[in-house]
Amino acid sequence: MSMPDETSVPDGGRSPSQAIIAAIASEEGIDVTAVEPPEYDPLFTVVNPEALDDLFTTTGDGASNVVVHLEYEGYEITVRPGCDIEVRDRSSSDSTGQPIEE
């Protein structure tokens, strides 16, 4: 998948949209560059990546309690401030749902 511009959060880490792609790649056991069409739908089919990134890079306290839930490629994904990404496999009842640290 074409990654959004090499954007990063103020602390120098990955943007939330990039962290989602990295988390999916980690769950699938593939390189992050392999998360692209035609095998994977573009992230923008389920969320506006720029808006998601902007939401979590907004300065001030407004976004500190924001949590975004979405479904992408058979996973339930939760995004929290600091690019804290939690991925749960929707098809597996034994999924750990452990957060993916970025």
Side-chain angles (χ1 to χ4, degrees):
M1 163 183 254
S2 296
M3 295 300 249
D5 296 326
E6 290 298 319
T7 58
S8 62
V9 291
D11 67 1
R14 289 186 174 137
S15 66
S17 60
Q18 291 173 331
I20 289 171
I21 299 302
I24 294 298
S26 176
E27 286 289 317
E28 299 276 315
I30 60 174
D31 188 80
V32 70
T33 59
V35 182
E36 64 180 27
E39 291 83 13
Y40 296 86
D41 290 330
L43 184 59
F44 67 76
T45 62
V46 296
V47 67
N48 179 326
E50 291 176 6
L52 180 70
D53 295 345
D54 287 347
L55 180 65
F56 286 97
T57 58
T58 302
T59 57
D61 295 330
S64 63
N65 294 320
V66 172
V67 176
V68 174
H69 299 278
L70 58 103
E71 293 180 11
Y72 176 64
E73 293 297 329
Y75 295 98
E76 292 179 9
I77 300 171
T78 302
V79 183
R80 293 185 181 86
C83 287
D84 176 18
I85 309 294
E86 182 178 326
V87 177
R88 293 182 184 208
D89 187 341
R90 294 181 61 218
S91 65
S92 174
S93 61
D94 59 287
S95 176
T96 61
Q98 295 298 315
I100 306 290
E101 297 295 327
E102 292 300 316

